[in-house]
Amino acid sequence: MSLLTSDSFQLLCLLESLQAETLDGPRVRESQEEIAELFHVSKGKLNPLMQALVSSGCIQKHRARSGYRVTPLGSQVISHIGKLEAIERRQKQLTGKAG
């Protein structure tokens, strides 16, 4: 599974938006069930996406059963893809193509 698939990227963005500051640093406190509901997928579809994000180093488990955190790498991925999307939008505007 490619990290840059739409589902993986959208999930990473959701996780970053859910991240809250705690005494232990920023983390996503929602359970996988809650994340699946917010992401509008089943837990069965969510699990491989979460595992791929963990394997890629974009998120890490905070502690067993206490949430996740988006890593600096994950934040960089979001930033870089956002820049690429902005470039693509500008290119389409310059060429007169609707996107």
Side-chain angles (χ1 to χ4, degrees), residues 7 11 14 31-51:
D7 285 347
L11 178 57
L14 173 65
S31 68
Q32 277 201 4
E33 290 83 8
E34 291 168 320
I35 294 167
E37 186 175 317
L38 291 168
F39 198 54
H40 307 289
V41 297
S42 68
K43 191 174 174 202
K45 172 146 176 136
L46 182 72
N47 281 332
L49 293 171
M50 295 290 282
Q51 290 171 1

Side-chain angles (χ1 to χ4, degrees), residues 9-19 28 35 38-39:
F9 178 67
Q10 294 302 320
L11 178 57
L12 182 59
C13 290
L14 173 65
L15 294 172
E16 186 175 63
S17 74
L18 293 174
Q19 208 163 238
V28 176
I35 294 167
L38 291 168
F39 198 54

Side-chain angles (χ1 to χ4, degrees), residues 53-81:
L53 290 172
V54 169
S55 295
S56 70
C58 288
I59 65 172
Q60 63 184 187
K61 287 187 87 55
H62 183 264
R63 281 188 230 146
R65 300 191 157 278
S66 69
Y68 295 87
R69 79 174 193 88
V70 176
T71 65
L73 175 62
S75 295
Q76 288 176 348
V77 167
I78 291 169
S79 175
H80 288 299
I81 291 178

Side-chain angles (χ1 to χ4, degrees), residues 4-6 22 24 27 29 32 37 39-40 43 50 57 59 63-64 67 79 81-82 87 89 91 93-94 99:
L4 300 180
T5 64
S6 179
T22 69
D24 294 330
R27 71 179 171 113
R29 298 195 303 206
Q32 277 201 4
E37 186 175 317
F39 198 54
H40 307 289
K43 191 174 174 202
M50 295 290 282
I59 65 172
R63 281 188 230 146
S79 175
I81 291 178
I87 290 168
R89 281 192 302 273
Q91 186 65 32
Q93 288 173 346
L94 290 173

